[in-house]
Structures are given as structure tokens and as C-alpha cells.
Amino acid sequence: MYVHMFSAARVWSPFIHVHMFSAARVWSPFKDLQVVVEAAIHKRQTDTVHDLEVMLKKHKTDFLSLLKNISKNLTHREAVKKSVTVGLQVHGEQRTQTFPVEVIKEAIIISDLFDLNEYAALELLLAGEDNKPAFPGLTRGLVAVRLRCALWSWP
């Protein structure tokens, strides 16, 4: 469960491009960070201390904005709605990704429910899709809500 809450934390960082439904999209840098933290702190591998310092500096803004809620934005809402046909830029690539109408509707509902930026809501929904196997029987939207609530109740 720790990995899921940790991954969902990225949703509230400053404006992120929306990504494909692949596991390697936005969470990869955080998985790398997790590996370095575990090696340096948990396993006490002294040769990874420098890597930890570099990673902490690299992710400083992510840590500072970890629980910051990015407000809704009319321009982002329209871009998300248009992503059914126009698409949104996929992280690290020149092309755009289109999304099914159902996904967009769910993202808008999540945005309204949590007063959350539409890009962040869409990314949270995609995280819900990625994490569905950990929550058998739940839809991606319910998993997204669970991830969001778990983050905010995290001590």
C-alpha cells in the first residue's frame, strides 16, 4: 500500500503533462527515488548516499508541493474535454494522447469532487487505472478516490 500512496502523491505537483496508461509514465522518477531511498536508508548502503542527495535535490519542488492542491482551471478543463479528439501531450514525447469520453467524464467528476486541477484529476484517474489490480472489484474512479483519500489521511 505504501507504493500506491507514494505514487499518488505526484498528482499534486505543479502542472504535469498527462500520460498514457503505461506503468512507466510519470511514476518512473519516483520509483527510482524509492529505490535510492531504500538503498541509502533501509539497507544502509553507504555508496548510495551521494545518489540520495542528488535525488532529494532533484525532487525538492515535488516534496515542497506534495500536499498542495492545485485548483481547477477553466483552460485545463477545456483541454481535458478536447482530449477526446485533440489529445494531450504525452510526457516526454512529441505526440499527443487521446482519451475515451468515459475517462474524461470521470476526470471532470473527480476534479469537481476534490476541487482539483483537471490535469491532476485526469492523472489521478490514470493512477487509479494502474492500481486497479491492488483493489479487486473497484473501478478506476473508486481506486482514484481511494488513493486521493489515502494520501490526505497519511500521517
Side-chain angles (χ1 to χ4, degrees):
M1 186 62 173
Y2 170 75
V3 173
H4 300 297
M5 290 190 304
F6 182 75
S7 297
R10 182 65 168 112
V11 172
W12 293 276
S13 300
F15 305 111
I16 308 165
H17 292 287
V18 179
H19 310 281
M20 295 184 296
F21 282 96
S22 71
R25 55 177 212 268
V26 74
W27 311 127
S28 295
F30 294 101
K31 290 177 183 176
D32 296 342
L33 175 61
Q34 181 181 6
V35 168
V36 171
V37 168
E38 286 178 356
I41 306 297
H42 181 67
K43 296 178 183 173
R44 299 183 188 270
Q45 295 175 351
T46 56
D47 59 325
T48 59
V49 172
H50 175 71
D51 294 339
L52 178 61
E53 289 177 10
V54 169
M55 292 295 269
L56 291 175
K57 287 177 184 174
K58 177 181 176 185
H59 291 282
K60 180 179 179 179
T61 57
D62 297 319
F63 289 122
L64 293 175
S65 64
L66 188 60
L67 296 178
K68 189 184 231 181
N69 191 28
I70 302 170
S71 298
K72 296 191 305 186
N73 180 305
L74 187 57
T75 305
H76 294 172
R77 180 173 287 247
E78 290 306 313
V80 167
K81 285 181 177 179
K82 289 179 184 176
S83 70
V84 171
T85 54
V86 177
L88 290 171
Q89 185 176 4
V90 178
H91 182 68
E93 296 185 26
Q94 298 297 320
R95 68 184 185 91
T96 58
Q97 174 72 37
T98 58
F99 297 96
V101 173
E102 299 80 25
V103 171
I104 299 309
K105 287 180 180 178
E106 288 178 59
I108 297 298
I109 290 169
I110 289 173
S111 171
D112 292 341
L113 180 66
F114 294 114
D115 191 32
L116 186 63
N117 181 277
E118 293 76 5
Y119 289 163
L122 180 55
E123 188 163 326
L124 179 60
L125 188 61
L126 298 179
E129 179 71 30
D130 287 345
N131 285 279
K132 272 177 52 177
F135 301 96
L138 296 183
T139 64
R140 72 176 159 245
L142 290 175
V143 174
V145 169
R146 184 170 174 148
L147 292 172
R148 175 67 158 70
C149 292
L151 176 67
W152 283 100
S153 65
W154 192 32

